Every structure is written in C-alpha cells, then in structure tokens.
Amino acid sequence: MYNVDITLIKMITDHYYIKRDKIVQKLNHKNRLFFDKYERVDGLLSRTLMNQHADGEIIIAHDLINSRDKVENIVFDYNGRNTEKFWHRAQLMLREEGFLNFTAYETKTSGHLHLYIHKGHTTLSEAVQLANKLSAKLSMKLPKEWKMFPSMDVPREFNILSLPMKVYQKERGTSWARHM
C-alpha cells in the first residue's frame, strides 16, 4: 500500500514512466549516448500504480518538467553515506537562501534521499541555473555526493525520479524564523 504523502510536492500525474527490462530507446545528447530503460506512458498516474510500485511489482518514475517546460521542484538526488549530515547542511543552506518549503524522501535504496525544493512555476532554464547555484553552494560545505535535477547535462527524458518511498524530513513555512 502506497501511503507516502506526495501532496507535499506538486507531482506531474498526467503521465508517468515505467521501468522495463530492456532498452526502450537510445538517445544521443551532447555527443554522449544514453540508453533509456524507462518507457513513457501517457496515462494518469493512479493510486493502483503507486501501490504496485510500493509492493515492488513495478518501478514507476515521475517527470520533473511539465509540457510547458515549467518546473515545480528542484531536486537534490543524494546518494551518499551520511543522510543526517546532508539533511542538516542542506536545510541550513536552503533557509539561508530563503527557501521555506522543502521535503526529503527516502527511496528504496538505503542512504539515498531525494530532497525536493518547492519552487513553484519556474522556467526550465531558471530551474537549472538555480539547481547549479544551490549545488555549488552546498558543495562548499560537503563532499559532492548528489546530482541535481532538472539538468541540461542529460536528455529531457532523463529528468525523472522514481516515486518516493517514505518521508525523511520536511520543512514548512516560517515556524523556525521567529527564533532567528
């Protein structure tokens, strides 16, 4: 049963990606060849599909870029050894940068977090610039053990993330601001 609170992030649900056992397509991007195992399905991302994902029957991913090239979330895809330290440093940096709403989700891989920064309707180019800026700022405090999304370094079809499995931590509003 999929019981993750995904209302915290504005997920694009008019289509989704399903992982296949074979290569679905080959893409050439910036003189690099990418092998895509995720197939786009132009259908509603339903609760039934989310339950199948939670039960491990299928692997579902969601798109970060909508059809109008707008982005709702900028995501740190952390794959390091110290999630607590990463969360602590990231939340301090995000607060300092003026971000009030962000949520970290655990994935099925141990030690792997997806930190969604809720930005709202942002153009793709602005989101990529902001992602690079936040990554550079955090890399001054921590060894870089993450990727940023959205990214222009990969094809558009690769700006997807698997559905989260569990809320790790969340930050909402300005409850902490009164203490500063």
Side-chain angles (χ1 to χ4, degrees):
M1 178 72 133
Y2 193 78
N3 58 0
V4 179
D5 188 3
I6 56 170
T7 59
L8 301 172
I9 55 175
K10 288 185 179 177
M11 192 179 296
I12 298 167
T13 57
D14 63 349
H15 65 277
Y16 60 93
Y17 292 83
I18 188 165
K19 188 173 184 181
R20 301 294 184 195
D21 292 332
K22 60 182 175 39
I23 294 171
V24 175
Q25 64 178 329
K26 294 178 188 176
L27 299 165
N28 195 341
H29 180 76
K30 295 187 177 180
N31 295 325
R32 291 173 56 199
L33 190 59
F34 290 84
F35 297 94
D36 194 358
K37 284 191 160 189
Y38 283 87
E39 180 182 354
R40 181 184 165 126
V41 178
D42 289 322
L44 192 62
L45 178 56
S46 67
R47 186 58 68 178
T48 305
L49 289 166
M50 292 179 186
N51 288 340
Q52 288 177 317
H53 174 79
D55 295 340
E57 297 171 21
I58 57 175
I59 298 175
I60 299 284
H62 68 95
D63 206 341
L64 293 172
I65 307 165
N66 71 20
S67 60
R68 296 177 309 281
D69 279 347
K70 299 286 184 191
V71 176
E72 293 289 337
N73 300 292
I74 296 166
V75 183
F76 280 90
D77 180 13
Y78 177 76
N79 198 8
R81 292 189 173 89
N82 195 339
T83 53
E84 285 185 37
K85 186 175 183 179
F86 170 77
W87 167 254
H88 179 71
R89 296 288 177 140
Q91 76 173 332
L92 290 175
M93 183 266 304
L94 291 170
R95 287 177 185 167
E96 186 179 289
E97 290 294 312
F99 292 98
L100 304 177
N101 297 322
F102 44 92
T103 308
Y105 291 96
E106 293 178 9
T107 67
K108 71 175 186 173
T109 307
S110 177
H112 194 173
L113 292 180
H114 289 165
L115 174 56
Y116 288 78
I117 304 157
H118 316 299
K119 182 68 174 87
H121 282 341
T122 307
T123 63
L124 178 57
S125 59
E126 182 184 351
V128 169
Q129 277 183 327
L130 188 55
N132 291 337
K133 175 186 166 195
L134 293 173
S135 179
K137 187 155 185 151
L138 189 59
S139 66
M140 290 189 282
K141 304 277 186 189
L142 290 171
K144 190 166 188 270
E145 299 175 312
W146 60 83
K147 291 186 261 180
M148 295 301 297
F149 290 96
S151 172
M152 295 290 197
D153 296 335
V154 295
R156 189 183 191 289
E157 295 86 351
F158 280 65
N159 279 288
I160 62 174
L161 291 171
S162 63
L163 294 181
M165 297 305 270
K166 180 181 170 188
V167 173
Y168 179 75
Q169 295 280 344
K170 61 184 174 182
E171 183 82 32
R172 291 284 170 277
T174 58
S175 59
W176 56 269
R178 67 174 171 254
H179 302 293
M180 293 186 78

